[in-house]
Amino acid sequence: MNIDSIEVPSEQELPLFPLNVVLFPGGILPLHIFEERYQLMIRLCLENESPFGVVLIKEGNETGEPAEPYHVGTAAQILEVDRLDGGRMNLMTSGQYRFEILEIQHNLPYLVGRVRVPNVPDLGGDKGLTPVASETRELYEDYEALLRQLFFDWEPPEVIPQDPRHLAYQIGVRLHISLEEKQELLETFPLNQLLAEEARLLKRENHRLRVQVIARNN
């Protein structure tokens, strides 16, 4: 299934799962579901074969009172479910497409968002993207190689995408940066701007990693 090219309504309602994580399209997210409200939510998603929205917490906690989420998240599709005692579940989910929250409803035990899928032109084949995509890809290859030098058990991805959109999402998944910085990337919808911002972050991170490599080798 092609990420960010799935046919979905421009506006829809999604159950929301506020978490201390930023999910990108194409990213894999394992979850342990133990609260009753989210057990209910996931059961309904499974019955309807529908996704739910993963959103980073802006204020509040993952458990207890509903947290206030950031306004951009990613729809997550359930790939696998392992049912446990007491209604608990272990899930394997995959990020599908990004959305913006227009309104949050509080009439159910969990949050429900009226969300919009931004109508951003697909510039994947635009020749104007080639320079920024090529630069970002080279920086990203250096990033994975530097991490491999520092951590012998580091496993680079088997494939680094040529498609600019898939490349941008893989970088978002793999970058070891703060959640706030990841959220800023998630909220950057024009693909050329997203790649350019990732290139800036990769330059910073590559410099930091090279310093660590030199220090370790001296």
Side-chain angles (χ1 to χ4, degrees):
M1 186 177 292
N2 291 328
I3 54 178
D4 237 22
S5 62
I6 303 166
E7 290 188 9
V8 294
S10 59
E11 288 192 17
Q12 59 182 302
E13 287 190 355
L14 275 181
L16 301 177
F17 202 159
L19 294 166
N20 287 312
V21 67
V22 177
L23 178 66
F24 282 84
I28 298 297
L29 178 65
L31 291 170
H32 176 62
I33 308 300
F34 59 93
E35 286 192 82
E36 288 186 7
R37 56 179 168 169
Y38 292 124
Q39 291 177 19
L40 171 63
M41 184 187 83
I42 295 303
R43 284 199 301 270
L44 292 173
C45 288
L46 289 169
E47 289 173 8
N48 298 320
E49 298 184 347
S50 59
F52 59 91
V54 172
V55 281
L56 177 65
I57 292 173
K58 191 173 185 179
E59 291 185 11
N61 301 302
E62 289 186 347
T63 59
E65 292 298 316
E68 178 188 351
Y70 282 86
H71 75 284
V72 173
T74 298
Q77 189 70 40
I78 300 170
L79 302 178
E80 299 176 9
V81 57
D82 182 16
R83 299 180 187 275
L84 308 171
D85 294 339
R88 295 176 299 116
M89 291 173 273
N90 287 330
L91 304 180
M92 191 64 67
T93 71
S94 173
Q96 300 296 300
Y97 54 88
R98 295 182 288 173
F99 61 80
E100 293 178 320
I101 298 174
L102 303 176
E103 179 185 10
I104 294 180
Q105 303 169 14
H106 297 266
N107 56 322
L108 291 174
Y110 50 86
L111 299 178
V112 175
R114 184 169 64 87
V115 308
R116 179 176 71 92
V117 180
N119 183 22
V120 180
D122 187 352
L123 302 176
D126 191 330
K127 292 183 179 180
L129 277 176
T130 301
V132 65
S134 297
E135 178 191 17
T136 306
R137 193 175 195 275
E138 289 178 8
L139 290 166
Y140 174 51
E141 289 172 343
D142 291 343
Y143 177 76
E144 293 284 359
L146 286 164
L147 285 169
R148 187 70 181 88
Q149 291 181 57
L150 283 170
F151 306 103
F152 294 112
D153 59 348
W154 183 260
E155 295 185 5
E158 293 182 3
V159 177
I160 295 181
Q162 293 289 342
D163 178 82
R165 184 177 301 279
H166 293 187
L167 172 67
Y169 291 154
Q170 186 179 101
I171 292 171
V173 170
R174 300 280 295 183
L175 266 176
H176 283 237
I177 54 178
S178 71
L179 288 175
E180 290 75 17
E181 287 177 313
K182 278 184 175 276
Q183 182 65 28
E184 289 179 7
L185 292 177
L186 192 72
E187 294 179 6
T188 305
F189 284 97
L191 189 54
N192 60 333
Q193 293 180 26
L194 175 56
L195 287 164
E197 181 60 18
E198 288 177 336
R200 184 188 70 81
L201 290 169
L202 285 165
K203 288 175 184 177
R204 184 194 73 187
E205 292 302 298
N206 287 354
H207 173 74
R208 179 180 62 83
L209 293 172
R210 286 192 181 95
V211 170
Q212 292 183 35
V213 170
I214 292 170
R216 193 189 65 180
N217 292 337
N218 286 341

